[in-house]
Amino acid sequence: MHLPVTRRHFFAGAAGLACWPVVRAQDDQTGGDPLGSMQYPSLREQTIGKAVAKFSDAVIVKGPDFADDAMNVPLLVDARGLSGTGGGVQRIRVAVDRNPVRQVLDFEPMKALPMLAFRIRMEQASPVRAFVQTKDGQWHVGSTWVQASGGGCTVPGLTRADGSWSRTLGQVQARFFHNVIEGSRRLRLRVMHPMDTGLVAGVPSFHIESLQLEDSGGQVWWRLALHEPVSENPLITFELPPQLPPSLRLVGRDNNGNRIDAALTT
């Protein structure tokens, strides 16, 4: 004799087979994000449009477990793991899920290694992403989670608060280091600029838009586009080939048309 199966019997049996509900791919509101961020799908579209992006352990993003100073959060992005993939790295785009201004920078390594270190402002705890495009057009994503004290995008920087920014605007400090990473020369670069986000009352957006490193023949070694979340007086570290010409030139501009132009002795 066969007894009828009631709803109670059905669900009791199902509970014995699996302890967790099945989540269908089409129901995943995070776009497959391993950090589970609901903001990731819109960030991806804002950063790379409709292109497909694959999460990859070859893209390393490092930040502090907890950032005490939300106006100066140190980050390292290292995409050397993709050097043998798709013809190598074409560009690196960094973005923050929960910042009011989400785009941080766009780096074209060209002759440099596909890695850089820098500092950013964070408004709250958030995932930080590096979208890396290889020369075959494919996008690869690395992520990290950074806890931050908060408010880094909506308060004025120190030089804005004390008014000293106008005396140092556009000044460049640069230093080269030998053999820090095998097969490279390190360039640590600081450009004096308030990098105003436009989110402080009465202070419009005022930030460096572009920087590039050139040799005497006008050949570009790397190119960098910056956005408002990059910290005040940007301090950025690059890895260059070990053999460099005697001098290089840093050129760029901010969103008010102020020019940056400095000779760097290697």
Side-chain angles (χ1 to χ4, degrees), residues 117-119 171-177 186-192 208 211-213 222 224 226 233-238 248-251 260 262-264:
F118 52 96
R119 293 174 180 267
Q171 292 180 6
V172 174
Q173 303 165 3
R175 185 177 177 186
F176 291 88
F177 299 85
R186 177 167 293 179
L187 167 60
R188 184 168 294 155
L189 190 68
R190 185 189 293 274
V191 183
M192 306 301 288
I208 299 171
L211 293 171
Q212 65 183 39
L213 190 67
W222 53 253
L224 184 65
L226 296 90
N233 300 327
L235 178 64
I236 310 173
T237 301
F238 304 87
L248 292 162
R249 182 167 293 276
L250 180 74
V251 296
I260 297 162
L264 312 183

Side-chain angles (χ1 to χ4, degrees), residues 40 43-45 47-48 53 59 91-95 129-133 139-142:
Y40 174 72
L43 180 80
R44 180 191 60 210
E45 184 168 350
T47 306
I48 64 172
V59 180
R91 62 171 37 84
I92 299 172
R93 290 179 177 166
V94 178
R129 317 285 184 174
F131 294 82
V132 180
Q133 186 181 41
W139 286 97
H140 313 260
V141 188

Side-chain angles (χ1 to χ4, degrees), residues 39-193:
Q39 292 81 20
Y40 174 72
S42 65
L43 180 80
R44 180 191 60 210
E45 184 168 350
Q46 182 181 353
T47 306
I48 64 172
K50 298 296 185 180
V52 175
K54 179 177 68 174
F55 290 99
S56 173
D57 292 337
V59 180
I60 298 170
V61 184
K62 292 184 178 180
D65 292 333
F66 184 88
D68 293 316
D69 184 357
M71 298 181 68
N72 288 283
V73 181
L75 295 175
L76 170 71
V77 176
D78 185 351
R80 288 177 296 166
L82 292 174
S83 296
T85 301
V89 173
Q90 180 76 22
R91 62 171 37 84
I92 299 172
R93 290 179 177 166
V94 178
V96 180
D97 289 36
R98 299 180 180 178
N99 258 11
V101 180
R102 301 164 95 185
Q103 303 303 306
V104 175
L105 57 79
D106 190 329
F107 176 49
E108 297 176 66
M110 304 170 88
K111 290 190 172 189
L113 273 64
M115 61 183 301
L116 72 167
F118 52 96
R119 293 174 180 267
I120 69 169
R121 291 178 168 99
M122 293 186 66
E123 187 63 15
Q124 58 182 300
S126 175
V128 179
R129 317 285 184 174
F131 294 82
V132 180
Q133 186 181 41
T134 45
K135 293 179 181 178
D136 61 359
Q138 301 300 306
W139 286 97
H140 313 260
V141 188
S143 309
T144 193
W145 180 273
V146 177
Q147 293 284 350
S149 56
C153 296
T154 51
V155 295
L158 294 177
T159 61
R160 173 63 68 182
D162 66 17
S164 63
W165 66 270
S166 61
R167 297 192 297 272
T168 60
L169 184 69
Q171 292 180 6
V172 174
Q173 303 165 3
R175 185 177 177 186
F176 291 88
F177 299 85
H178 287 277
N179 301 324
V180 179
I181 292 179
E182 185 177 357
S184 78
R185 287 277 302 279
R186 177 167 293 179
L187 167 60
R188 184 168 294 155
L189 190 68
R190 185 189 293 274
V191 183
M192 306 301 288
H193 201 285

